[in-house]
Amino acid sequence: QVQLVESGGGLVQAGGSLRLSCAASGRIFSSYAMGWFRQAPGQEREFVGTITPSGGATIYAPSVKGRFTISRDNAKNTVYLQMNSLGPEETAVYYCAADPDYRVRTDPKFVPYWGKGTLVTVSS
């Protein structure tokens, strides 16, 4: 069982940056792939990116590649999402995800562990 708690959401102007954090419980954090999803009002939850258990590889959705960076600190049981050049259309609740596999799958139906989310609002 993994429990995830996101933090770092808030209000940011378009073009700005924000860093989200996700703290995980449990001693086996380093064996889990971690990921981020987001869900805008009235829309489906969408994949943002994932990082392998060691942190050696990342995969991003095309819409965020080059602007968002996922990293992790296994000593602190924490994964981060650095978001740059944010646009108003990226206003959403951002969710942390975990999977005891080498990556978090892009379809949210197959994600076994979720945080409760943190709201990011990008003003125009």
Side-chain angles (χ1 to χ4, degrees):
Q1 187 78 13
V2 177
Q3 294 184 327
L4 308 172
V5 179
E6 303 94 335
S7 62
L11 177 64
V12 62
Q13 290 188 334
S17 298
L18 206 60
R19 189 176 84 152
L20 306 182
S21 299
C22 172
S25 66
R27 295 174 293 176
I28 55 174
F29 174 77
S30 61
S31 65
Y32 279 66
M34 301 297 295
W36 290 92
F37 287 73
R38 63 187 180 187
Q39 188 165 17
Q43 297 188 21
E44 295 184 351
R45 194 168 297 190
E46 68 169 349
F47 173 80
V48 172
T50 183
I51 188 166
T52 54
S54 68
T58 50
I59 301 171
Y60 298 97
S63 59
V64 306
K65 193 171 183 179
R67 298 186 299 116
F68 288 17
T69 302
I70 297 174
S71 61
R72 66 190 295 162
D73 185 338
N74 285 347
K76 295 182 178 180
N77 281 15
T78 302
V79 63
Y80 306 97
L81 177 65
Q82 176 67 45
M83 305 183 291
N84 299 328
S85 302
L86 285 161
E89 68 281 3
E90 297 179 295
T91 293
V93 177
Y94 283 70
Y95 295 92
C96 181
D99 194 313
D101 201 343
Y102 71 96
R103 86 283 184 256
V104 173
R105 280 167 280 190
T106 60
D107 188 334
K109 293 194 299 291
F110 299 111
V111 173
Y113 300 108
W114 292 101
K116 293 185 177 180
T118 185
L119 176 62
V120 172
T121 303
V122 185
S123 64
S124 56

